[in-house]
């Protein structure tokens, strides 16, 4: 706008300039047509003088100088950053206590209730649901799955335990004590982790998506995409509900993601690098990845373990 306005004349300016150049010739033509003789000749010099005066003073259109360009508008203020735009914080840990854990248990699901650990283990032909004494690691009750099933996540909702399987697209519902099978249910895709948020079962399937199921009908009511710093976070594995957040193991990583259940945003990570001494690998060569989170709400304790780990750890978080 600025360059156009300063480099060219406006329409009004062009019309005014053209009118100014036409005025001296137009008046004499009209006087000659009237046939006024000598009077017309006497008037002619006077008209020339007036026309010259008009040229020097200019008509309103021709006298106006080009308008100064309007000042450039101030740039708009920077928009505020969207909520959660900061990268997730990364918490450390401190080991409070160590407990024995069955090194043959391929941990796929874990939760704590009424002083006991409940564990779902995987691998075909080895999958179980078990109740475990925390202090000793002793298996107090166990129910084996049929050999075609690969056990996955488990969660308690009310008086019932829900257990997923990996690829069979089938889950099982048991009474809490003893483990009595009361129902089977179906879902599409793979089953990985499972927890209960007080209203819905929350299920992972190895992607960046969490599914919310009605525990009564076992129908899916909604899904949630999980993101960390704006990027999708896939391979969500074992889950736990801790004080209004979904905590998720990330398969093959020594990190736990803390997820907002309303937005799917990861607010923080818990880095558990080095929690299992490497020296144990020689003694337990089948040790696999970190997997298994349990929360004791009455005493505020967090427990973690892994697949075929010989230990289970109570941890406290260390601020970044």
């Amino acid at each position: 706008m600025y360059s156009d306005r300063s480099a060219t004349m406006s329409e009004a300016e062009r019309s005014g300039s053209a009118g100014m150049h036409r005025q001296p010739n137009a008046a004499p033509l009209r006087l000659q047509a009237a046939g006024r003789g000598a009077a017309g000749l006497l008037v002619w010099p006077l008209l020339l003088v007036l026309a010259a005066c008009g040229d020097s003073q200019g008509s309103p259109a021709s006298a106006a100088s080009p308008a100064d360009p309007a000042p450039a508008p101030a740039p708009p203020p920077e928009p505020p950053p969207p909520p959660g735009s900061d990268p997730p914080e990364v918490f450390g840990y401190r080991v409070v206590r160590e407990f024995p854990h069955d090194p043959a248990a391929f941990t796929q699901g874990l939760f704590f209730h009424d002083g006991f650990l409940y564990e779902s283990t995987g691998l075909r032909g080895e999958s179980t649901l078990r109740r475990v004494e925390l202090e000793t690691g002793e298996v107090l009750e166990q129910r084996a799955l049929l050999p075609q099933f690969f056990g996955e996540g488990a969660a308690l909702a009310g008086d019932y335990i829900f257990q997923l399987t990996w690829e069979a697209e089938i889950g099982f519902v048991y009474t809490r004590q003893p483990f009595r099978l009361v129902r089977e249910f179906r879902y599409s895709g793979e089953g990985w982790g499972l927890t209960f948020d007080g209203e819905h079962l929350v299920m992972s399937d190895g992607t960046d998506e969490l599914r919310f199921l009605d525990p009564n009908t076992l129908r899916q009511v909604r899904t949630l995409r999980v993101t960390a710093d704006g990027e999708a976070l896939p391979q969500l594995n074992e889950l736990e509900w801790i004080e209004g957040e979904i905590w998720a193991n990330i398969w093959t990583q020594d990190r736990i993601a803390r997820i907002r259940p309303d937005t799917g945003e990861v607010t923080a990570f818990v880095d558990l690098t080095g929690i299992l001494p490497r020296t144990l690998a020689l003694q337990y060569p089948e040790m696999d990845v970190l997997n298994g989170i349990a929360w004791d709400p009455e005493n505020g304790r967090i427990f973690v373990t892994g697949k075929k780990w010989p230990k289970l750890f109570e941890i406290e978080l260390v601020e970044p």
Side-chain angles (χ1 to χ4, degrees):
M1 291 293 292
Y2 178 85
S3 60
D4 289 342
R5 289 177 61 88
S6 61
T8 63
M9 299 177 67
S10 68
E11 289 296 327
E13 290 167 337
R14 285 196 297 269
S15 61
S17 175
M20 177 182 69
H21 290 294
R22 285 196 298 267
Q23 286 173 6
N25 296 327
L29 287 174
R30 285 197 297 270
L31 290 172
Q32 291 172 2
R36 291 190 178 261
L41 293 175
L42 291 174
V43 172
W44 173 257
L46 177 62
L47 290 175
L48 290 177
V49 173
L50 292 175
C53 293
D55 284 349
S56 63
Q57 295 176 358
S59 65
S62 62
S65 61
D68 291 335
E78 290 291 332
S85 60
D86 294 333
E89 294 182 312
V90 180
F91 286 79
Y93 69 93
R94 183 178 73 84
V95 174
V96 179
R97 290 186 65 185
E98 297 182 4
F99 301 92
H101 180 256
D102 181 3
F106 196 79
T107 306
Q108 298 290 78
L110 192 70
F111 64 88
F112 186 89
H113 178 74
D114 241 1
F116 298 100
L117 284 169
Y118 290 79
E119 187 170 13
S120 174
T121 68
L123 300 177
R124 291 184 176 89
E126 301 179 27
S127 295
T128 64
L129 178 66
R130 44 175 78 178
R131 182 165 55 92
V132 179
E133 186 174 68
L134 174 64
E135 299 290 337
T136 65
E138 180 185 355
V139 177
L140 303 176
E141 183 180 359
Q142 177 171 293
R143 183 184 179 102
L145 276 65
L146 293 175
Q148 67 264 35
F149 295 121
F150 191 118
E152 285 285 347
L156 178 69
D159 289 327
Y160 296 96
I161 297 173
F162 297 77
Q163 184 184 31
L164 303 176
T165 60
W166 180 24
E167 298 174 310
E169 299 185 329
I170 188 170
F172 305 108
V173 184
Y174 309 91
T175 54
R176 182 172 60 84
Q177 194 173 346
F179 298 152
R180 180 171 58 88
L181 180 64
V182 295
R183 185 178 179 184
E184 298 178 355
F185 63 99
R186 298 281 180 173
Y187 50 86
S188 61
E190 298 181 0
W192 284 41
L194 195 67
T195 191
F196 182 60
D197 67 3
E199 182 178 3
H200 298 111
L201 293 165
V202 185
M203 170 184 168
S204 66
D205 57 11
T207 69
D208 61 337
E209 182 178 86
L210 297 176
R211 312 181 195 183
F212 289 72
L213 311 179
D214 184 316
N216 296 311
T217 65
L218 292 165
R219 293 180 179 175
Q220 182 174 302
V221 296
R222 73 179 179 104
T223 60
L224 181 69
R225 294 285 182 182
V226 177
T227 60
D229 202 15
E231 300 291 333
L233 183 65
Q235 297 189 326
L236 302 172
N237 204 353
E238 212 272 323
L239 306 175
E240 184 69 9
W241 180 259
I242 300 180
E243 294 188 323
E245 295 180 326
I246 302 167
W247 288 36
N249 284 119
I250 307 168
W251 186 50
T252 73
Q253 296 187 26
D254 290 332
R255 296 192 303 169
I256 293 172
R258 297 170 58 179
I259 304 164
R260 284 185 53 168
D262 54 344
T263 65
E265 176 193 355
V266 174
T267 60
F269 288 104
V270 181
D271 187 352
L272 296 177
T273 300
I275 193 168
L276 191 68
R278 295 293 182 186
T279 54
L280 291 175
L282 296 175
Q283 188 177 354
Y284 301 97
E286 293 186 344
M287 285 191 318
D288 210 310
V289 297
L290 174 75
N291 201 45
I293 312 164
W295 167 244
D296 173 11
E298 293 183 1
N299 299 295
R301 296 186 294 176
I302 303 169
F303 304 102
V304 297
T305 190
K307 304 179 182 189
K308 296 201 170 186
W309 282 20
K311 293 180 180 293
L312 177 140
F313 302 92
E314 178 189 344
I315 64 168
E316 289 181 349
L317 300 189
V318 176
E319 293 284 339

